[in-house]
Amino acid sequence: MLLRQMLDIYDLIDKPQASGEECAELIRSHGITEVTVERVSGDRGGTDCIKVLIPGSNGKSSGGTAPTLGIVGRLGGLGARPEMIGAVSDGDGAVAALTAALKLAEMHENGDVLEGDVIVATHVCPDAPTLPHEPVPFMDSPIDMATMNRMEVDERMDAIVSIDTTKGNRIINVNGIAISPTTKMGYILSVSNDLMDVMTRVTGKMPQVFALSQQDITPYGNDLYHLNSILQPTTSTDAPVVGVAIATEQMVAGCATGATHGTDVEEAARFAVEVAKVFGPGACKFYDEEQFDRLQKLYGDMSHFQTPGKSE
């Protein structure tokens, strides 16, 4: 279980003074040295972008050959101060990603070293802006999506799990976590059997898979409907990306406080850690390479869906 790690992270982020550097210091205290924090600011404020590399025994960071897993925590902000006081539902993806990073750091310190490298990336913002809306304001982000992708999607990542609160919709109606089909280079591919196996053992339930539309894997800013930002990393990488949604049966606003379900966040973090364990040795595939090659031969390159599209 990762409950203690989750609570340690939650205590750090649930305050007006929350910072990426404080989270980084906690992870560094367990012997992980490659932890970077960069302050990024825009017209709507700023945020601390944090990236953690947990080296593997055969990881590429030390000249090895094992593939690298990326764990991205997606969010607008951890808080919406001053409109809302306290941690908001929108921040669950960051809490889950940082929880996974802390657990992996502790494992590494104790001698449970994974085969492949793991890179965890997210951002820490206790006072993200909101968008006016009734009855409660929507969450926004202090930085634009292109900047967020640039900071969080690393070219060293061979596959990515993108964790995001996904509660303000009518598509995923379960309490807990759900995964998306694999997305890659403009294609929505089959759901990974290996990832469903991991999900089954982590949750003890039948795997939950949420639907995607083609619009969901196009970049923000094109005036098309998007479920949320959970699949935005796929617009800026050739690596396969799978969304891990932290969901609820009823719609919950992203700026709602008191709406974080600790067991669901822990479950998302534990899922990411379990994927990391089997991805490095090659025991977990995000997609079928032969099927993907066949798709491209039959239907061509779909990478234009990773772009803003044609100008009108």
Side-chain angles (χ1 to χ4, degrees), residues 150-165:
R150 178 171 57 84
M151 298 304 300
E152 296 175 353
V153 180
D154 194 298
E155 63 182 8
R156 294 171 293 178
M157 297 173 176
D158 294 303
I160 297 172
V161 291
S162 174
I163 311 173
D164 198 351
T165 309

Side-chain angles (χ1 to χ4, degrees), residues 21 34 44 73-74 112 115-116 118 120-121 123 134 162 170 188 192 197 215 248 259 271 275 279 310:
E21 190 57 44
E34 193 166 333
R44 295 167 293 179
R74 279 276 135 160
D112 272 340
E115 186 166 340
V118 181
V120 182
H123 69 97
E134 293 295 336
S162 174
R170 300 172 66 184
I188 299 175
S192 164
D197 288 343
Q215 298 100 298
T248 47
F271 174 82
V275 172
F279 182 71
K310 297 178 180 179

Side-chain angles (χ1 to χ4, degrees), residues 34 51 53 60-61 66-72 117-121 148-160 184 233 236-241 279:
E34 193 166 333
K51 185 176 291 184
L53 186 146
K60 293 179 180 179
S61 63
T68 300
L69 179 69
I71 301 172
V72 172
D117 295 341
V118 181
I119 299 175
V120 182
M148 199 176 297
N149 279 340
R150 178 171 57 84
M151 298 304 300
E152 296 175 353
V153 180
D154 194 298
E155 63 182 8
R156 294 171 293 178
M157 297 173 176
D158 294 303
I160 297 172
K184 179 176 169 65
S236 59
T237 180
D238 289 347
V241 179
F279 182 71

Side-chain angles (χ1 to χ4, degrees), residues 23-290:
C23 295
E25 281 303 313
L26 176 60
I27 295 168
R28 292 189 188 113
S29 70
H30 293 282
I32 300 301
T33 58
E34 193 166 333
V35 186
T36 60
V37 179
E38 182 176 341
R39 182 71 177 176
V40 181
S41 298
D43 295 338
R44 295 167 293 179
T47 187
D48 293 342
C49 296
I50 180 171
K51 185 176 291 184
V52 182
L53 186 146
I54 300 95
S57 61
N58 186 31
K60 293 179 180 179
S61 63
S62 57
T65 59
T68 300
L69 179 69
I71 301 172
V72 172
R74 279 276 135 160
L75 70 159
L78 290 159
R81 297 173 179 87
E83 285 88 351
M84 310 294 288
I85 296 176
V88 297
S89 175
D90 191 61
D92 289 356
V95 176
L98 291 170
T99 297
L102 180 57
K103 176 61 177 179
L104 289 166
E106 292 178 358
M107 289 168 58
H108 193 278
E109 181 182 39
N110 293 331
D112 272 340
V113 180
L114 303 189
E115 186 166 340
D117 295 341
V118 181
I119 299 175
V120 182
T122 189
H123 69 97
V124 176
C125 180
D127 51 6
T130 59
L131 295 172
H133 188 269
E134 293 295 336
V136 291
F138 280 165
M139 287 298 297
D140 200 358
S141 175
I143 57 177
D144 60 55
M145 190 58 64
T147 302
M148 199 176 297
N149 279 340
R150 178 171 57 84
M151 298 304 300
E152 296 175 353
V153 180
D154 194 298
E155 63 182 8
R156 294 171 293 178
M157 297 173 176
D158 294 303
I160 297 172
V161 291
S162 174
I163 311 173
D164 198 351
T165 309
T166 313
K167 300 176 181 178
N169 66 86
R170 300 172 66 184
I171 301 299
I172 314 169
N173 306 122
V174 296
N175 284 323
I177 63 172
I179 63 172
S180 75
T182 300
T183 64
K184 179 176 169 65
M185 298 172 64
Y187 275 100
I188 299 175
L189 304 176
S190 301
V191 182
S192 164
N193 286 325
D194 291 340
L195 291 177
M196 286 194 288
D197 288 343
V198 174
M199 189 179 194
T200 296
R201 76 165 182 261
V202 165
T203 66
K205 304 174 185 176
M206 295 293 291
Q208 295 285 345
V209 178
F210 67 90
L212 288 180
S213 65
Q214 192 65 32
Q215 298 100 298
D216 292 323
I217 62 169
T218 62
Y220 269 21
N222 57 9
D223 294 327
L224 291 175
Y225 169 83
H226 293 78
L227 178 67
N228 65 356
S229 68
I230 192 166
L231 267 307
Q232 284 302 291
T234 200
T235 65
S236 59
T237 180
D238 289 347
V241 179
V242 168
V244 180
I246 302 174
T248 47
E249 288 184 3
Q250 294 291 323
M251 286 189 286
V252 176
C255 64
T257 59
T260 293
H261 304 139
T263 53
D264 297 346
V265 175
E266 186 273 344
E267 201 167 68
R270 184 156 39 92
F271 174 82
V273 169
E274 291 303 309
V275 172
K277 289 179 183 179
V278 290
F279 182 71
C284 176
K285 289 186 176 294
F286 277 55
Y287 71 105
D288 186 310
E289 292 91 342
E290 291 184 1

